Amino acid sequence: MAKAKYHYNSHTLKYEKIKPSTRTWALRILGFLTSSFACALLLFYVGFTFFDSPREKQLQREVDQMVLQYNLMQERMKRIDASLESMQDRDDNIYRVIFEADPIDPDIRKAGFGGVNRYKNLEHFSNSALMIETAKKLDYITKALYVQSKSYDELTDMAKSKAEMMASIPAIQPVDSRKGHAGVSGFGTRIHPVYKIRKMHAGIDFAAPAGTPIYATGNGKVEAAGVDGGYGRRVVIDHGYSYKTLYGHMSRFTVKVGQQVKRGDLIGYVGNTGISTGPHVHYEVRKNNQPVNPINFIYNDLTPAEYVAILDAASQENQSFD
Ligand SMILES: [Zn+2]
């Protein structure tokens, strides 16, 4: 209550109460309302800041629960990621090794999603960091699983063609050495039987009686069958997978250009045509048209002891039969 104000009336010699003007009344009421409003605001502020409403308490419990669930999801994703890594590891170091395929580029495996910020709608929340990290991890796992699944598709294709590849790549001797042959001269620098100089010998010579059958050493298609200079009568077979074989100095051949042959099919007979010092088959294996040592492609029908015997004979620096 405002204090009453008095003034001294020099005529009546009395203190007289001053009656407040309408303006003063208006100001007082306004002041009262303003301070009440300010008090109310302060009370609300204190109330809302330090004490939660039941609804807020409920919402807070829900947020806490969600944060907990996010953290649990992260834990589970860590375990999925570990399993995924083990799958990738086996893929690169076992399956791809079996099929002689290159491992998948780690950059492709680890690649994220570039370009636009995919996580913009998760920004500016109190738990943004947790939500964005979780979303990123989930995206990474999704992508890595996709790459892995594509890799398994590739492996399935390779497994399907592996049997065909194994049947095509040369793997036996062109003549049956177990029936006995007169000698073997190997791949590498050998003394030329006619010119008597050291010369690169691009194949293996299997000496055998004239007329001994010569077999295709892998499935393929006859690329050439005819006379070719020093090789005499020779057959070339294209096995696919960048492999070719050549059989030289035949007495005659029994296949035609374009004919499909299987491993072990008769293609001709041992002879002494071309530049040759005795009946033998000059056998070459070519990978990407480069001669490679045929000794590595004759293991299929040999016991280890037989293989070692041929290996020894072929590694002698003897004279070739050419
Ligand atoms: Zn030769």
Side-chain angles (χ1 to χ4, degrees), residues 185-186 201-206 249 280-284 320-322:
S185 182
H201 187 231
I204 290 185
D205 293 334
F206 294 96
H249 316 295
H280 79 283
V281 59
H282 169 93
Y283 176 59
E284 287 184 16
S320 66
F321 302 87
D322 235 55

Side-chain angles (χ1 to χ4, degrees), residues 4 7 51-52 73 75 81 83 100 144 150 153 165 200 205 216-217 236 256 258 264 267 285 302 312:
H7 79 98
F51 305 99
D52 290 338
M73 267 163 69
E75 281 306 308
D81 198 25
S83 311
E100 292 157 48
K150 292 301 269 182
D153 287 350
M165 182 176 155
M200 173 64 191
D205 293 334
T217 55
V236 177
K256 289 194 294 265
I267 56 168
V285 176
L302 294 175
D312 278 350

Side-chain angles (χ1 to χ4, degrees), residues 107-168:
D107 287 347
I108 292 175
R109 285 205 191 275
K110 301 277 177 210
F113 294 87
V116 288
N117 181 5
R118 297 165 59 85
Y119 313 107
K120 216 176 175 62
N121 59 345
L122 297 177
E123 285 170 357
H124 312 300
F125 292 105
S126 51
N127 292 302
S128 279
L130 180 64
M131 291 194 287
I132 290 173
E133 198 195 323
T134 309
K136 272 186 182 163
K137 194 99 192 141
L138 201 55
D139 277 348
Y140 165 74
I141 289 173
T142 309
K143 179 110 188 275
L145 274 174
Y146 176 75
V147 172
Q148 193 53 49
S149 138
K150 292 301 269 182
S151 168
Y152 284 152
D153 287 350
E154 253 181 70
L155 284 174
T156 307
D157 287 345
M158 284 190 260
K160 279 181 190 157
S161 61
K162 181 79 173 177
E164 196 193 312
M165 182 176 155
M166 294 306 282
S168 300

Side-chain angles (χ1 to χ4, degrees), residues 205-216:
D205 293 334
F206 294 96
T212 304
I214 297 172
Y215 307 109

